[in-house]
Amino acid sequence: DVPEHWALERLKFFANFLGGGTPSKDEPKFWGGDIPWVSPKDMKSSYILETEDCITQDGLKSSPCMLVPPFAVLTVVRSGILQHTIPVALNTVPVTLNQDMKAILPNEQKVDSRYLAYQITGCQNELRALWVKQGATVESIESQRMADTLMAVPPIAEQRSIANYLDAEIFKLD
């Protein structure tokens, strides 16, 4: 149930998705650069500023990695952690992702990234039940299920108000 003036829309109708990859670990020239490479081990906070590993421009060009623009909603899509949580973060700088990650790029005119990240975090028990593949050896999120999920979409001004309120409340708690 959502307020009457909110829409219920499938995620795929207001967002694009980017996956990740890994440059060859056998090529030293691909690693140690200045491009953050996000993996599940980096998903410990709500915002990604830097990562444990970085790749070079050569690593970016020579791999399936793509540069993800700032303020994408980053999610872990393959990891044992999905048994109990869906890690979510926003990147504040351009990043690349490993293959266990996905970036959700919302249409900025329609959906605020912070609001979407809060919605995924706040509804993660329900979303884990919908998204996580059953019977897999490693827990993973099925991309099509994620894309087809109905999400509550209030007017953009209201989304920003909700995100600002939650930011302020979390700041107080921190």
Side-chain angles (χ1 to χ4, degrees), residues 9-169:
E9 292 191 39
R10 296 195 189 286
L11 187 55
K12 66 184 175 186
F13 294 138
F14 61 81
N16 292 314
F17 303 87
L18 290 177
T22 300
S24 173
K25 298 267 184 170
D26 296 332
E27 286 290 341
K29 68 180 183 175
F30 293 166
W31 295 92
D34 59 357
I35 303 169
W37 182 72
V38 182
S39 68
K41 66 185 174 194
D42 298 305
M43 299 289 288
K44 297 177 181 125
S45 67
S46 299
Y47 292 93
I48 303 290
L49 301 153
E50 55 191 15
T51 55
E52 285 187 34
D53 299 304
C54 292
I55 63 172
T56 63
Q57 283 294 331
D58 286 337
L60 179 62
K61 291 177 197 166
S62 303
S63 73
C65 291
M66 291 187 272
L67 209 53
V68 177
F71 297 100
V73 179
L74 309 180
T75 63
V76 174
V77 293
R78 191 177 68 183
S79 172
I81 198 164
L82 294 171
Q83 288 179 2
H84 51 82
T85 190
I86 300 173
V88 176
L90 297 175
N91 56 311
T92 59
V93 297
V95 300
T96 58
L97 307 172
N98 93 346
Q99 63 276 8
D100 297 332
M101 302 288 304
K102 191 162 293 285
I104 305 170
L105 301 140
N107 173 337
E108 293 175 5
Q109 308 304 313
K110 188 158 188 134
V111 175
D112 183 274
S113 295
R114 295 173 306 141
Y115 170 80
L116 182 58
Y118 280 128
Q119 187 176 36
I120 293 169
T121 300
C123 297
Q124 67 179 272
N125 288 336
E126 295 85 356
L127 293 175
R128 273 187 333 92
L130 288 172
W131 293 355
V132 175
K133 288 181 192 174
Q134 300 302 313
T137 53
V138 175
E139 282 70 19
S140 60
I141 289 177
E142 194 166 318
S143 296
Q144 194 58 49
R145 288 183 189 172
M146 176 190 274
D148 286 337
T149 302
L150 285 173
M151 305 294 278
V153 184
I156 191 75
E158 194 168 346
Q159 291 175 46
R160 290 184 180 128
S161 292
I162 291 167
N164 289 340
Y165 172 80
L166 292 171
D167 285 346
E169 291 300 304

